Amino acid sequence: MPLPVRALVSASLLVLAAACAGEPAQPVKAAADVDWPFYGGDAGGQRYSAAAQITPANVTGLKVAWTYSTGDLARHPKAIEHAAFENTPILAGGRLYVCSQFNRVSALDPGTGKELWAHDPGIDDSVHYPNDNICRGVTYWADPEAPAGAACAARIFLPTVDRRLIALDAATGAPCTGFGKGGTVDVGQGVLLERKGQMQITSPPVIVNGVIVVGSSIDDNQRVEEVSGVVRAYDARTGAPKWAFDPLANAGPGVKAGAANVWAPMSADPARGLVFLPTSSASPDFFGGLRPGNGGMANSVVALDAATGQPRWSFQTVHHDIWDYDIPAQPTLADVGYGGRTTPAVIQATKQGLIFTLARDTGAPVIPVEERPAPQGGAPGEPLSPTQPFPIAPKPLSPTKISEKDAYGLTPWDRGKCRELIRGARHEGIYTPPSTQGTILYPFTGGGVNWGGLAFDAGRQVVYVNTSSALHRVTLIPVDKVQATKQAEMGKEVSAQRGAPYGMKREVLLSPLGLPCNPPPWGQLHAVDMRTGKVLWEVPLGTTRDLAPGSQLLLGNVGVPNAGGPVATASGLVFIGAAMDDYLRAFDGASGRELWKGRLPAGGQATPMTYVWKGRQYVVIAAGGHGKSNTKRGDSVVAFALPGPLT
């Protein structure tokens, strides 16, 4: 079969670039080795590296050092259309560990990308997983009590989309037979599902003092009494159950709901013996009449005692959520110098484009939070919260209100169509309740910030975070009209919310030309000074090059929606893929200026990582595209480095 045109063009550009590279590579000063042993760089998820060999002065010299293929493209040629390569590799114990879309975990040589071992758990790719086939990461653990050199003295814990937690010998990839049954724990044991794929595990577990904690991803908007979002803990050596925590256990009498699960990555503070959970919304997303009250510990940052599963504190970021504004990102643990006082804190970014900063020991706001009046007049039987919490700083990083005069379009015709869409929907700013008229959610349920989270440079006291901007229109559908709506609007998301008096329809508001109806930028990268809460800079992120070839000249620098997060380094660089074009980028952390971009073989909707191995710094990203973003699919892990000889 001939190569696709896109592949031919990319290959031609690579040949041309090689032919034009006339100058020999400059010597590179060897650096001290630096690992990346956790999904978020460290247990607290700061996504920061002390690596400083690559600098703003030399970053333009980055070249592809090696590329590794997981093989998923060949093994799952049809199912890969419904997969997302969101993995962030980890480097620990001298090996780089990668988890593919279909949960195949590989150990690689960090300097060459050569596969050292691989374990395929045999995911059934005929099962439709509503949240796609995803493995954001694996977890490394060195048992402090194990004899040196013993089998499974160091372990890789692999979470799977079919609800398994698998322990593998980090040196060989062999299952740790003393863990669970033959190396596997069934995390969904005893959970009754209506169908396969209803409950997944998509994010890496965390380990605190020998206790491994795992969350779950649950299908949205299907019914009122959904599967419970219980977080479970096991003995990291044996797999024996330790405890279970249900965020809705204290939701109050008369509440009918499930979910409130933890699908995003968690964080850990081993010194305090705490694990930090970002909980999601209770079911169903867009009608809460059968779950009166604020939802217990749904939509909350929850600090649990890792030994017992007992909550130490919780802080709710949305009261009585009916907007799918669950907490999507890993809580970031950092010492924050706000107001001239250093406080051990939790920094939590949200889909609303808000950043909450909470004291790590108590959950009290470090940066004050105000309860502000929220729009009222929900659907009949909807007990809305009269207020919602807003931090006084930083400002919202995403726009939250739109009127028809703000409608975007390239021509008066398509702008007019967007004006009609906006004018015809209910919208009184953020937290306008869903309605049968159709309500605009702005930001849309993809963010603001999503699962990519933020990076924090503690020395500079700066948060780097990316956001997306689009409009969702959510329409409540009386229960007796749901089936007819499904049949009439086959290409749109229509869900029954079974057990509620309303189903729902959710759609992105686009012009007839397929462009967002809200004004650009549609994707941004921001820098926030956490000493003051002030936004230092914000710049568009990404281009429309791979969404609509040729459109970039017409649209300009509009930014695009994105999936994945940033990484900060000691030299002052910020690396990020995420955008819906096939690039990894480097930005100057001081100014926000884009300094470099490297072409990827497929969509880079993942969070990169960086490390120093045998004196050379590498920046690595998964490039396999994203099913829901419809970016180019693939199965590559790409490493960039400065190519010069080490001195």
Side-chain angles (χ1 to χ4, degrees):
M1 180 182 293
L3 282 173
V5 172
R6 183 190 300 214
L8 288 171
V9 171
S10 298
S12 300
L13 289 174
L14 288 173
V15 171
L16 179 61
C20 294
E23 295 186 9
Q26 298 299 309
V28 177
K29 186 176 181 180
D33 285 359
V34 178
D35 283 0
W36 188 280
F38 299 89
Y39 166 81
D42 67 298
Q46 291 190 21
R47 291 179 185 79
Y48 172 84
S49 174
Q53 185 182 81
I54 304 169
T55 70
N58 65 23
V59 68
T60 56
L62 283 180
K63 304 293 182 186
V64 174
W66 54 259
T67 299
Y68 168 74
S69 169
T70 68
D72 271 7
L73 199 60
R75 281 190 295 271
H76 307 278
K78 295 181 179 178
I80 205 163
E81 291 302 307
H82 303 288
F85 200 3
E86 296 182 357
N87 180 249
T88 297
I90 60 172
L91 176 66
R95 293 175 178 83
L96 192 70
Y97 297 98
V98 173
C99 182
S100 79
Q101 297 99 308
F102 295 88
N103 295 116
R104 183 179 187 268
V105 60
S106 309
L108 310 180
D109 182 295
T112 65
K114 178 184 177 182
E115 184 177 289
L116 303 175
W117 60 255
H119 176 87
D120 192 333
I123 298 299
D124 182 355
D125 68 6
S126 68
V127 175
H128 171 66
Y129 292 97
N131 296 306
D132 284 345
N133 285 85
I134 293 170
C135 179
R136 295 190 183 93
V138 297
T139 304
Y140 175 88
W141 182 61
D143 186 347
E145 299 180 8
C152 292
R155 302 179 178 200
I156 292 295
F157 286 96
L158 169 67
T160 70
V161 290
D162 57 5
R163 313 184 310 169
R164 288 177 284 165
L165 180 62
I166 302 172
L168 304 171
D169 187 325
T172 66
C176 298
T177 55
F179 181 82
K181 294 183 179 179
T184 298
V185 165
D186 179 4
V187 176
Q189 185 174 9
V191 179
L192 297 178
L193 302 181
E194 288 191 328
R195 60 175 185 76
K196 291 182 178 180
Q198 186 179 356
M199 174 184 171
Q200 307 168 235
I201 309 173
T202 55
S203 292
V206 297
I207 300 176
V208 179
N209 302 327
V211 177
I212 185 165
V213 184
V214 61
S216 63
S217 180
I218 295 172
D219 197 3
D220 287 344
N221 296 317
Q222 301 307 305
R223 55 183 180 173
V224 168
E225 298 187 72
E226 187 52 85
V227 171
S228 169
V230 167
V231 175
R232 297 170 174 84
Y234 304 89
D235 186 298
R237 295 181 182 88
T238 67
K242 298 286 286 185
W243 50 258
F245 168 73
D246 183 355
L248 293 180
N250 66 342
V255 169
K256 293 183 179 180
N261 49 299
V262 177
W263 63 267
M266 296 171 283
S267 300
D269 186 333
R272 288 174 168 80
L274 297 178
V275 57
F276 295 87
L277 316 180
T279 65
S280 72
S281 51
S283 62
D285 282 343
F286 300 109
F287 182 77
L290 300 176
R291 45 178 172 89
N294 284 344
M297 295 186 193
N299 298 90
S300 298
V301 182
V302 183
L304 295 185
D305 185 304
T308 66
Q310 293 301 306
R312 293 275 188 90
W313 58 260
S314 67
F315 181 91
Q316 193 168 62
T317 61
V318 183
H319 306 321
H320 190 76
D321 183 13
I322 53 170
W323 304 273
D324 194 18
Y325 282 158
D326 51 349
I327 299 184
Q330 182 179 26
T332 299
L333 310 185
D335 291 341
V336 172
Y338 180 75
R341 178 181 178 182
T342 299
T343 305
V346 182
I347 309 172
Q348 184 64 64
T350 73
K351 288 182 177 180
Q352 305 93 290
L354 304 175
I355 295 180
F356 293 86
T357 307
L358 312 170
R360 204 178 313 168
D361 291 314
T362 66
V366 173
I367 298 178
V369 173
E370 298 176 345
E371 289 286 339
R372 298 175 185 169
Q376 298 296 292
E382 185 67 84
L384 294 171
S385 172
T387 63
Q388 293 292 347
F390 291 83
I392 66 167
K395 69 173 187 177
L397 300 180
S398 297
T400 59
K401 193 167 186 177
I402 193 168
S403 68
E404 60 180 283
K405 65 181 176 58
D406 302 316
Y408 179 80
L410 288 178
T411 68
W413 170 70
D414 67 316
R415 190 178 308 118
K417 293 295 184 181
C418 280
R419 284 176 176 162
E420 290 176 13
L421 291 172
I422 294 170
R423 183 169 57 246
R426 182 180 176 187
H427 180 64
E428 295 141 37
I430 193 169
Y431 300 122
T432 303
S435 61
T436 54
Q437 174 185 349
T439 291
I440 288 175
L441 273 58
Y442 194 37
F444 77 143
T445 64
V449 183
N450 212 284
W451 58 265
L454 57 85
F456 182 67
D457 185 325
R460 296 176 175 89
Q461 283 289 300
V462 176
V463 155
Y464 302 99
V465 63
N466 50 303
T467 59
S468 300
S469 183
L471 303 173
H472 262 148
R473 181 174 62 190
V474 171
T475 305
L476 295 180
I477 306 166
V479 64
D480 60 345
K481 297 181 179 179
V482 170
Q483 193 58 38
T485 304
K486 278 187 176 182
Q487 294 175 350
E489 305 196 49
M490 296 285 288
K492 295 182 179 179
E493 180 190 4
V494 178
S495 296
Q497 302 192 137
R498 196 167 70 250
Y502 299 97
M504 55 73 65
K505 177 174 67 174
R506 175 169 47 183
E507 52 197 326
V508 178
L509 287 192
L510 302 174
S511 77
L513 297 179
L515 296 173
C517 280
N518 56 296
W522 299 312
Q524 288 184 288
L525 180 64
H526 315 255
V528 179
D529 187 334
M530 294 302 290
R531 292 166 296 197
T532 64
K534 301 293 186 184
V535 175
L536 299 174
W537 51 257
E538 42 196 5
V539 296
L541 175 63
T543 70
T544 57
R545 167 178 171 170
D546 295 305
L547 292 172
S551 64
Q552 189 175 351
L553 292 175
L554 183 63
L555 293 172
N557 195 19
V558 294
V560 291
N562 44 81
V567 166
T569 71
S571 69
L573 288 172
V574 179
F575 289 98
I576 186 167
M580 294 172 66
D581 56 9
D582 304 340
Y583 287 105
L584 174 67
R585 291 177 165 85
F587 289 84
D588 183 344
S591 67
R593 186 164 64 94
E594 184 180 309
L595 301 176
W596 168 86
K597 61 182 178 182
R599 190 71 172 155
L600 300 173
Q605 287 74 53
T607 302
M609 51 84 76
T610 187
Y611 59 89
V612 181
W613 176 254
K614 294 185 178 179
R616 190 181 303 278
Q617 183 181 354
Y618 298 84
V619 183
V620 179
I621 188 168
H626 199 284
K628 286 185 167 55
S629 299
N630 200 28
T631 49
K632 183 182 177 183
R633 311 304 197 279
D635 60 9
S636 296
V637 179
V638 183
F640 294 88
L642 298 173
L646 293 176
T647 61

